[in-house]
Amino acid sequence: MLNNMTDGDEGEGGPNSQGDGNPKESSPFINSSAASDVKSQQYDGKNMALFEEEMDTSPMVSSLLSSLANYSNLPTGSKEHEEAENNEEGARPSKKPVKAPQLGTLMGVYLPCIQNIFGVILFLRMTWMVGIGGVFGAFIIVFMCCSTTMLTAISMSAIATNGVVPAGGSYYMISRSLGPEFGGAVGICFYLGTTFAGAMYILGCIEILLIYIIPQAAIFKLEGLEGPEAEIALLNNMRVYGTIVLSLMALVVFVGVKYVNKLALVFLACVILSILAVYAGVIKTAIDPPVFPVCLLGNRTVVSKGYDICAKVIEIDNETVTTKLWRSFCDSEYLNATCDEYFTNNNVTEIQGIPGVTSGILAENLFGNYLEKGMFLEKRGIASDVDPDSPISSASRYVLADITSFFTLLVGIYFPSVTGIMAGSNRSGDLRDAQKSIPIGTIAAISTTSTVYMSCVVLFGACIEGVVLRDKFGEGVSGNLVIGTLAWPSPWVIVFGSFFSTCGAGLQSLTGAPRLLQAISRDGIIPFLRVFGHGKANGEPTWALLLTASICEIGIIIASLDSVAPILSMFFLMCYMFVNLACALQTLLRTPNWRPRFKFYHWALSFLGMSLCLSLMFICSWYYAIVAMGIATCIYKYIEFCGAEKEWGDGIRGISLSAARFALMRLEEGPPHTKNWRPQILVLVSVDAEQNVEQPRLLSLTNQLKAGKGLTIVGTSVQGSFLDNYAEVQRTDQSLRKLMESEKVKGFSQVVVSSNLRDGMSHLIQIGGLGGLKHNTVMISWPHNWKQPEYHQQFRNFIEVVRETTIASLALLVPKNISSYPSNGERFTEGHIDVWWIVHDGGMLMLLPFLLRQHKVWRKCKMRIFTVAQMDDNSIQMKKDLITFLYHLRINAEVEVFEMHDSDISAYTYEKTLIMEQRSQILKQMHLTKNEMEREIQSITDSSRGSIRRKNPPVLRSQHSADEGASVAERPEEESVAISNPKQAHLIHGKNASKPTDPTTPAGPAGRTAPWTDSRAADKGKTLLAAHPEGGKDLFNMKPEWENLNQTDVRRMHTAMRLNEVIARKSKEAKLVLLNMPGPPKDGMGNENYMEFLEVLTEGLNRVLLVRGGGREVITIYS
């Protein structure tokens, strides 16, 4: 089938690899080594001085055209022989040049296709198919199959003429058009089809040998056996002789392919001679029909070896003598013997097996006559006397149907006789002008063979008696090959011609299939097949041949030609289907590189061919079709997950681009419905001097939150200019991709260059995503060293990010203590995820724990929801309402409502606020050097701590100095953070605060404006919570400096401390705490105070995720 297929080049990559798995292929393109070799000659003069800056990367047109003109694809084996010689003898001073391919259309494409298409089915099954299906049915089958191959040939011609097709044939075309996944899957299917074709040809060869040439050679004798026993004996003979012949053929192929190729013309001559003999016999029947009598008992065909004369009795010397036929049906040779009832009641008639083309037998053979297994072959139009109640006896004396026949079975058996259309494209490396020869030669060969097949259907029906046509093994015509009875001058022309043609076709299959497997193996797309890419020194695929012979033996063990044919039909049909799909896709996608020289194609023809292939697959055998598609699907998924990644510019990538564009345009139509909302996360990370990500656990958390779904963009900023930092950008991007791969984050990386990091993050927030596929959530790590002067700008950048996400209506996630978050490999066997629902943010706090618990890290953690009730709220009713709300949301969680009572503000709160405001004033108002600023802050901090120690009792101090573990040990004054939304601080500030608030505040006692506040709350001056009841005593001992404090800041600090106390008590052991995050000051004042409040709010908590909603509902109770 695949004669002279060359080995595909290795796909391991290489210096000259162009992405198609052919590193050794001549590559006359930009950056090729050939271009650099002649670089010194390109710019010799001063005529091209304008372009001398690009001489390292862009070759001159003259050298490019020279390389293109000298491009050649080496023919089969020559490249390997050259390499073998080099390895054995080293470089020689002068090497004999390889002859350029010289094969034309006739010898290179037309005749190989003819040889591969004509085969065993034409000689062994075509007459039987016409007899069973009728001329009409057989003609429909032939027309359908030939149309399929013609449409496939048109598609193949378009692909083959779209540029140079290196040796590799159909596999190369499909894989480069549809990508490595489809290419590998279809390549393996084509390989299996070719291998089973070898088994089919060998079985045909043995059938001709044992039934028509040397029946005496059977090891398991058939004489005296009837029914199933005879069938088993025949199959066993096929298995034994098939294995012997397969071994001999494999040995011939192993010794040398050149012998097979030299014999190819001899085998082709046998095929052509046999077909000419058939046509000659048809012509002769019109003049002088041959004598091939068929004996009928009633209307049943009698086995020819059961009689010598077609009569019950004969007259010899006026004496009635019984014949051999009489003795077959009676218990003795005497006239008074007891005979079979049917034999007694019906007459014996003799008819001509081949009445001739002018006899009018065509009308009788027009319609089908499908038989059940074991049924008699009966002639139409002859009456017979049958007693339906009498038992059937002497069944072995009649010609019986060996299998149950139906239309779809005939399609499956016949289709292999039209395969072989790829023979020309497989020789593309040997052709003088492949782009011209492949379309002309292939289409001409299909036209020729289709004409022969269709004419044979009509001529067989017009020349041969129906019972003879249905006689598969010629049992009624003295054991002759039925098509042989029609041939002229002798049946032996067909017998020996078909024998040698099947031998030749089997050898060609065993030659082509290993080379196809070797090409797939060397492409490296299927890792476990790489061993079959190796072979002998001259490139012969030894291991692939061994595997091919082993698979071929499976077909031999099946032993039935009629059972093997549908199997290989499936694999060939799948291959042809994908050739049509490749052409249709390339045409519809209109890729710029799709410019075939063959112009007589259309995407509708390709789709029609693809539909025919798919239909024929299920018509032949629906279960074989499902198995073949299952094998292809498994290989596809294996290559997708485990195979080598290849970029071949294939059509599937083009489909992905078109589908992506279509989907993006659809997304532009409007925002997603709440039911479809999911966090599309932009992860803002920072990198160190070596371009390594400083917070890798951010990506771990992203993976756990996303579970591989939705959009993820990992972005970072590089400081400087794009021209100067391009190389650093590339390294950073590579580092991000590597980390994303290791953390199994599916998404995209994005690196921007900006004059400062603040603007870089702003650019990422603004431009991340494409069209409607944009992020709706930003994740950024908490700036843990923000109190240190050298990190002052870092926390300012952080607050600006918070402001920008608020303006852009984006959700914000801020994990604190990110280094303590679990990796993807860790597992929590128990524990809780605690949600502190202070204000409603659209449902983010409810949705995030649910998404986290889908991941195996958090799967065994239980969810708890805490909310805060004020003095005027009914906490019992709140709990009932919350339980009902969660029930409607289909979320399982424990619920607890915490009541926060009004209480006095403690002295500790005042002192804490005083320290905060003093630090803020120093950083804002004093223009000191860095060292002076550090000393000033340290002195104020020390004096303030002394004041706190003096004013607070030991118990109070112990409760408010909970540290944060290792991170707190490094920075003693740093506090943790938990947050509430500024606009809706009413849950902790007072019952009337639920109305819209004014962000401005009247001047405080010291004449300063208090930013980030509620004017109504400031006017009330309502104190809220205290750390301890005894703190109320400090109200009667107000220090003068306390009276000048901004009372809004005091209340905020008081709220943060009280909330922190409750959260720390309830969620100290929680695996993760989720909190509402209040917004930052709107006018840019009080940034340091904002960070301090967040630190106090989350003090003493290990893992905290601060959540800020994006201003829209993200979870719904509706279906």
Side-chain angles (χ1 to χ4, degrees):
M1 277 284 177
L2 297 174
N3 47 327
N4 286 351
M5 173 179 286
T6 60
D7 308 325
D9 298 308
E10 290 192 28
E12 309 295 335
N16 299 329
S17 177
Q18 298 298 318
D20 58 357
N22 292 315
K24 299 175 185 175
E25 200 174 318
S26 177
S27 307
F29 304 111
I30 290 177
N31 292 329
S32 69
S33 57
S36 61
D37 290 342
V38 294
K39 183 175 63 178
S40 59
Q41 303 170 12
Q42 293 175 1
Y43 302 95
D44 246 353
K46 298 178 180 177
N47 294 332
M48 293 295 163
L50 184 61
F51 298 95
E52 60 188 12
E53 292 290 336
E54 302 174 10
M55 63 186 299
D56 291 332
T57 57
S58 303
M60 288 290 290
V61 171
S62 57
S63 64
L64 176 70
L65 293 177
S66 173
S67 301
L68 282 171
N70 293 328
Y71 176 87
S72 67
N73 244 332
L74 299 180
T76 306
S78 60
K79 185 188 305 179
E80 289 79 3
H81 282 294
E82 264 190 66
E83 293 174 354
E85 289 175 3
N86 289 341
N87 292 337
E88 291 171 7
E89 303 174 20
R92 291 184 291 181
S94 61
K95 196 183 335 182
K96 187 177 179 181
V98 179
K99 284 183 67 177
Q102 293 297 324
L103 289 178
T105 304
L106 181 68
M107 295 299 295
V109 181
Y110 181 76
L111 291 179
C113 284
I114 291 285
Q115 180 190 359
N116 280 270
I117 294 172
F118 286 137
V120 63
I121 301 296
L122 171 64
F123 301 117
L124 294 184
R125 294 293 183 268
M126 181 66 95
T127 54
W128 174 77
M129 190 183 80
V130 173
I132 295 292
V135 173
F136 278 154
F139 193 87
I140 290 171
I141 292 172
V142 172
F143 181 78
M144 210 163 36
C145 295
C146 291
S147 299
T148 302
T149 54
M150 179 61 78
L151 292 170
T152 304
I154 292 172
S155 299
M156 184 190 72
S157 299
I159 298 173
T161 58
N162 186 49
V164 179
V165 179
S170 54
Y171 162 70
Y172 183 93
M173 289 190 294
I174 295 171
S175 62
R176 270 55 175 182
S177 296
L178 292 178
E181 294 89 358
F182 276 110
V186 178
I188 292 295
C189 287
F190 195 43
Y191 163 74
L192 291 174
T194 308
T195 304
F196 276 104
M200 183 187 74
Y201 291 130
I202 291 172
L203 290 174
C205 169
I206 302 303
E207 184 176 309
I208 294 169
L209 181 70
L210 291 182
I211 295 179
Y212 305 113
I213 299 179
I214 321 174
Q216 302 80 15
I219 297 175
F220 299 90
K221 301 300 181 183
L222 300 177
E223 285 79 7
L225 299 179
E226 296 183 9
E229 295 179 352
E231 185 179 345
I232 291 172
L234 177 62
L235 294 181
N236 286 335
N237 283 322
M238 304 282 273
R239 291 180 181 116
V240 173
Y241 278 100
T243 304
I244 295 171
V245 172
L246 173 62
S247 304
L248 291 174
M249 286 186 175
L251 185 61
V252 170
V253 173
F254 177 77
V255 169
V257 180
K258 58 183 179 181
Y259 302 113
V260 178
N261 292 334
K262 286 179 180 177
L263 289 172
L265 283 177
V266 176
F267 297 139
L268 177 61
C270 292
V271 173
I272 294 174
L273 188 64
S274 300
I275 293 171
L276 291 177
V278 172
Y279 279 106
V282 170
I283 295 170
K284 184 177 181 297
T285 62
I287 305 165
D288 180 23
V291 178
F292 272 99
V294 178
C295 191
L296 300 179
L297 177 59
N299 61 358
R300 299 176 182 175
T301 310
V302 180
V303 175
S304 57
K305 63 182 179 182
Y307 66 91
D308 48 3
I309 299 173
C310 187
K312 294 182 180 180
V313 293
I314 54 174
E315 294 287 337
I316 300 179
D317 298 332
N318 295 325
E319 182 181 354
T320 303
V321 180
T322 57
T323 61
K324 184 178 180 182
L325 182 63
W326 176 281
R327 293 191 290 273
S328 299
F329 287 92
C330 302
D331 57 2
S332 72
E333 59 183 11
Y334 302 109
L335 292 174
N336 60 353
T338 303
C339 296
D340 180 77
E341 186 177 352
Y342 184 84
F343 179 78
T344 305
N345 296 338
N346 291 275
N347 297 323
V348 175
T349 54
E350 187 176 71
I351 61 171
Q352 275 301 321
I354 303 178
V357 74
T358 58
S359 64
I361 196 70
L362 178 64
E364 186 180 318
N365 292 332
L366 280 179
F367 302 102
N369 188 8
Y370 298 100
L371 303 173
E372 295 285 336
K373 183 176 181 178
M375 285 181 64
F376 302 106
L377 265 60
E378 299 176 344
K379 178 172 171 55
R380 292 172 177 168
I382 296 182
S384 63
D385 186 358
V386 182
D387 183 0
D389 297 328
S390 64
I392 296 175
S393 59
S394 305
S396 61
R397 310 292 184 266
Y398 304 106
V399 180
L400 306 176
D402 67 321
I403 59 172
T404 300
S405 52
F406 40 89
F407 181 80
T408 57
L409 174 75
L410 300 185
V411 176
I413 291 175
Y414 172 74
F415 188 80
S417 66
V418 297
T419 60
I421 62 173
M422 302 287 189
S425 63
N426 292 338
R427 288 169 169 251
S428 55
D430 301 330
L431 300 174
R432 189 185 307 116
D433 185 355
Q435 297 192 16
K436 175 185 174 184
S437 298
I438 289 177
I440 296 174
T442 305
I443 292 175
I446 293 175
S447 301
T448 304
T449 53
S450 299
T451 303
V452 170
Y453 282 138
M454 291 179 187
S455 62
C456 282
V457 168
V458 176
L459 293 175
F460 289 164
C463 294
I464 305 176
E465 176 63 50
V467 289
V468 179
L469 288 173
R470 290 186 285 278
D471 187 357
K472 184 186 289 186
F473 301 112
E475 294 175 286
V477 285
S478 305
N480 283 301
L481 184 61
V482 173
I483 193 174
T485 60
L486 185 62
W488 181 86
S490 167
W492 291 104
V493 175
I494 292 287
V495 171
F496 283 107
S498 58
F499 176 78
F500 284 117
S501 73
T502 51
C503 288
L507 282 172
Q508 296 287 359
S509 296
L510 288 178
T511 303
R515 277 161 175 69
L516 176 58
L517 180 62
Q518 188 180 44
I520 298 170
S521 304
R522 289 190 170 184
D523 257 348
I525 58 175
I526 305 178
F528 72 85
L529 289 181
R530 283 180 180 162
V531 65
F532 299 106
H534 306 298
K536 293 195 288 187
N538 63 351
E540 291 298 324
T542 309
W543 291 106
L545 175 63
L546 187 62
L547 179 65
T548 301
S550 303
I551 297 174
C552 199
E553 179 63 21
I554 296 173
I556 300 295
I557 290 172
I558 295 173
S560 171
L561 183 69
D562 302 322
S563 300
V564 173
I567 296 176
L568 64 104
S569 294
M570 292 301 114
F571 293 122
F572 278 120
L573 279 166
M574 185 167 290
C575 178
Y576 296 166
M577 180 175 71
F578 282 105
V579 170
N580 285 297
L581 175 62
C583 180
L585 281 184
Q586 299 279 26
T587 306
L588 289 175
L589 291 173
R590 297 177 183 173
T591 51
N593 191 52
W594 180 246
R595 304 184 299 275
R597 287 190 177 278
F598 180 77
K599 300 298 182 184
F600 304 100
Y601 69 94
H602 193 271
W603 64 266
L605 293 177
S606 299
F607 267 118
L608 179 60
M610 186 178 70
S611 304
L612 272 173
C613 289
L614 189 61
S615 303
L616 285 175
M617 284 179 68
F618 283 92
I619 286 173
C620 292
S621 172
W622 63 268
Y623 45 90
Y624 278 161
I626 291 174
V627 170
M629 295 173 87
I631 292 172
T633 303
C634 292
I635 297 169
Y636 179 96
K637 300 306 288 185
Y638 176 79
I639 297 173
E640 187 177 41
F641 287 113
C642 305
E645 294 182 4
K646 302 282 182 180
E647 175 50 67
W648 286 332
D650 50 86
I652 296 301
R653 181 62 60 91
I655 286 186
S656 301
L657 291 173
S658 297
R661 180 182 61 83
F662 176 77
L664 286 172
M665 297 301 291
R666 287 290 302 274
L667 287 176
E668 284 286 286
E669 296 174 4
H673 191 274
T674 302
K675 291 185 288 188
N676 295 327
W677 194 95
R678 66 170 69 245
Q680 318 283 11
I681 302 179
L682 168 64
V683 186
L684 296 177
V685 298
S686 56
V687 293
D688 56 22
E690 283 76 31
Q691 284 77 46
N692 295 319
V693 176
E694 293 180 337
Q695 310 96 0
R697 288 295 169 87
L698 275 177
L699 271 69
S700 302
L701 178 61
T702 303
N703 179 37
Q704 294 157 23
L705 198 57
K706 302 287 292 180
K709 308 295 183 186
L711 173 71
T712 302
I713 302 174
V714 181
T716 190
S717 176
V718 174
Q719 192 167 349
S721 67
F722 186 72
L723 290 177
D724 297 334
N725 295 87
Y726 181 72
E728 184 180 349
V729 169
Q730 295 296 99
R731 291 195 301 272
T732 304
D733 187 65
Q734 193 64 31
S735 175
L736 291 183
R737 289 175 182 272
K738 190 177 296 184
L739 181 61
M740 290 172 69
E741 185 178 348
S742 64
E743 294 292 344
K744 298 181 180 177
V745 173
K746 295 181 179 179
F748 310 99
S749 60
Q750 194 164 7
V751 182
V752 297
V753 182
S754 181
S755 57
N756 58 75
L757 298 180
R758 169 76 229 84
D759 289 343
M761 287 193 287
S762 179
H763 296 159
L764 285 169
I765 292 173
Q766 294 176 57
I767 67 171
L770 179 63
L773 190 65
K774 294 180 69 70
H775 55 273
N776 54 29
T777 306
V778 176
M779 181 186 290
I780 185 170
S781 180
W782 173 263
H784 61 280
N785 293 325
W786 68 272
K787 292 185 180 181
Q788 300 178 19
E790 59 267 27
Y791 293 101
H792 188 67
Q793 188 58 41
Q794 186 183 32
F795 88 78
R796 290 187 178 277
N797 293 346
F798 170 77
I799 294 177
E800 288 302 309
V801 168
V802 179
R803 287 196 179 101
E804 289 177 357
T805 55
T806 304
I807 289 294
S809 298
L810 300 175
L812 179 65
L813 306 179
V814 182
K816 194 162 182 281
N817 300 333
I818 187 63
S819 59
S820 67
Y821 277 64
S823 66
N824 292 326
E826 296 180 43
R827 303 286 183 276
F828 287 132
T829 56
E830 58 182 1
H832 294 91
I833 299 176
D834 285 358
V835 177
W836 283 86
W837 193 20
I838 310 300
V839 295
H840 182 58
D841 56 356
M844 280 286 286
L845 282 172
M846 305 294 176
L847 185 62
L848 293 176
F850 171 78
L851 295 175
L852 281 174
R853 292 182 68 240
Q854 306 304 305
H855 196 276
K856 49 195 172 186
V857 172
W858 304 92
R859 188 166 294 153
K860 295 188 178 180
C861 291
K862 295 180 179 178
M863 183 174 165
R864 296 190 300 192
I865 296 180
F866 299 90
T867 190
V868 177
Q870 299 178 81
M871 289 294 296
D872 299 336
D873 294 326
N874 185 339
S875 58
I876 297 175
Q877 187 61 39
M878 278 182 66
K879 184 172 183 179
K880 289 181 179 178
D881 293 343
L882 182 54
I883 291 173
T884 303
F885 180 58
L886 292 175
Y887 175 78
H888 288 308
L889 288 177
R890 291 89 64 201
I891 292 177
N892 297 321
E894 300 176 22
V895 174
E896 188 170 339
V897 178
F898 177 74
E899 296 182 353
M900 295 187 69
H901 302 288
D902 286 347
S903 59
D904 295 326
I905 300 174
S906 68
Y908 180 76
T909 302
Y910 279 106
E911 290 291 347
K912 192 89 171 174
T913 309
L914 178 63
I915 297 170
M916 178 185 72
E917 292 208 351
Q918 287 174 340
R919 180 193 293 121
S920 178
Q921 288 178 50
I922 291 170
L923 294 176
K924 287 180 182 176
Q925 297 172 8
M926 296 181 63
H927 301 285
L928 305 175
T929 65
K930 183 178 178 182
N931 290 335
E932 289 172 331
M933 191 181 295
E934 289 179 7
R935 288 198 297 272
E936 188 68 26
I937 292 173
Q938 189 61 44
S939 65
I940 293 173
T941 303
D942 293 342
S943 63
S944 299
R945 281 182 181 159
S947 175
I948 291 174
R949 293 191 191 99
R950 290 192 299 274
K951 295 300 297 179
N952 287 296
V955 175
L956 188 66
R957 278 207 312 274
S958 65
Q959 291 192 355
H960 290 282
S961 59
D963 63 77
E964 218 177 290
S967 62
V968 176
E970 295 172 3
R971 42 190 193 282
E973 70 270 24
E974 182 176 342
E975 275 70 353
S976 323
V977 184
I979 301 155
S980 62
N981 191 303
K983 294 182 180 179
Q984 300 181 357
H986 58 278
L987 286 180
I988 54 177
H989 279 256
K991 63 180 179 181
N992 297 323
S994 59
K995 301 175 184 176
T997 58
D998 186 350
T1000 62
T1001 256
R1008 302 186 307 274
T1009 58
W1012 187 56
T1013 186
D1014 182 334
S1015 61
R1016 207 171 307 139
D1019 291 339
K1020 284 183 181 179
K1022 184 177 180 181
T1023 59
L1024 296 177
L1025 310 171
H1028 278 278
E1030 57 265 25
K1033 291 184 289 186
D1034 294 323
L1035 294 176
F1036 303 101
N1037 299 316
M1038 294 287 287
K1039 286 187 174 183
E1041 60 266 29
W1042 292 358
E1043 295 175 0
N1044 295 329
L1045 289 175
N1046 184 330
Q1047 294 304 307
T1048 305
D1049 286 345
V1050 172
R1051 288 195 307 277
R1052 290 193 182 114
M1053 182 64 74
H1054 181 64
T1055 301
M1057 293 175 64
R1058 284 290 287 132
L1059 271 176
N1060 173 258
E1061 179 189 355
V1062 175
I1063 294 171
R1065 185 169 70 247
K1066 295 286 186 180
S1067 302
K1068 184 74 174 177
E1069 302 300 325
K1071 301 301 182 184
L1072 180 65
V1073 177
L1074 286 85
L1075 285 170
N1076 287 115
M1077 180 177 185
K1082 291 188 176 180
D1083 55 3
M1085 303 292 289
N1087 289 347
E1088 297 84 357
N1089 295 356
Y1090 174 68
M1091 298 294 289
E1092 187 69 43
F1093 292 141
L1094 299 184
E1095 282 283 8
V1096 172
L1097 186 61
T1098 56
E1099 184 178 5
L1101 300 174
N1102 185 20
R1103 300 184 193 94
V1104 181
L1105 183 60
L1106 305 175
V1107 180
R1108 186 161 171 74
R1112 63 160 293 169
E1113 292 293 332
V1114 300
I1115 194 167
T1116 178
I1117 64 174
Y1118 300 106
S1119 62

